[in-house]
Amino acid sequence: MSETERTERTERRDGARLDLNYGPGRLLVLLYGVFAVGAASRSAYQLSTRFDEAPVAYLLSAVAAVVYAVITFCLARGGERARRVGLVCCAAELVGVLTVGTWSLVDPGAFPDATVWSDYGIGYVFFPLILPLTGLRWFRWRGASGAPPAPGAPAAPSGAEG
């Protein structure tokens, strides 16, 4: 590989970071950040003071907090790797919301205390159900080949083929 090819390949890989924290992405960072802090605070309190009352519910809230924090980081960080990790986390979050939501409706006794995802997030105005759908759409759209570049992002080198 010639030096020019190596330079072009490096510029394409490093030159323009995929900006996920732009436009609606900023709102998603805010919402996921609020949910991460809220779920983490709630689960930390519940796990430390009332673990024996509803351990599954409190552990699921802690898992939700971690997922929310990772998605917040991915949105704020940007880049292709963060986009892919964010997609996986949003998909996992959606599976969790649908699974726990259905489980909590079918067998209410399984959760003596509600989780963030109980009843599809009804206690949080269904945001736990809406957020992963919105996040999946945002991550997928930003990864589409036709997605517009972020403002101020450097253009690909001239003559470079994608």
Side-chain angles (χ1 to χ4, degrees):
M1 177 183 309
S2 74
E3 187 62 35
T4 304
E5 290 175 276
R6 188 175 298 127
T7 301
E8 284 180 1
R9 185 172 285 191
T10 303
E11 286 175 2
R12 272 186 271 147
R13 193 175 334 129
D14 300 334
R17 175 181 288 281
L18 179 62
D19 189 3
L20 299 170
N21 182 9
Y22 145 33
R26 288 186 185 194
L27 179 59
L28 285 173
V29 169
L30 173 71
L31 291 172
Y32 269 112
V34 167
F35 268 80
V37 170
S41 302
R42 177 182 177 184
S43 65
Y45 172 77
Q46 290 170 328
L47 287 170
S48 63
T49 61
R50 305 183 315 174
F51 180 75
D52 54 331
E53 294 176 23
V56 174
Y58 302 152
L59 288 171
L60 283 171
S61 289
V63 168
V66 170
V67 170
Y68 292 145
V70 171
I71 294 171
T72 303
F73 177 80
C74 290
L75 286 163
R77 171 95 170 107
E80 182 58 26
R81 182 177 296 143
R83 187 189 72 80
R84 283 186 264 134
V85 170
L87 266 171
V88 169
C89 286
C90 281
E93 177 191 2
L94 183 59
V95 168
V97 171
L98 294 175
T99 302
V100 172
T102 303
W103 187 7
S104 64
L105 289 174
V106 171
D107 183 12
F111 297 98
D113 201 357
T115 74
V116 176
W117 296 338
S118 293
D119 302 326
Y120 305 109
I122 195 169
Y124 296 88
V125 197
F126 295 105
F127 271 95
L129 181 60
I130 296 166
L131 276 176
L133 295 170
T134 307
L136 283 168
R137 182 168 181 169
W138 180 249
F139 282 124
R140 287 180 51 97
W141 180 76
R142 292 300 295 157
S145 59
S158 61
E161 296 182 20

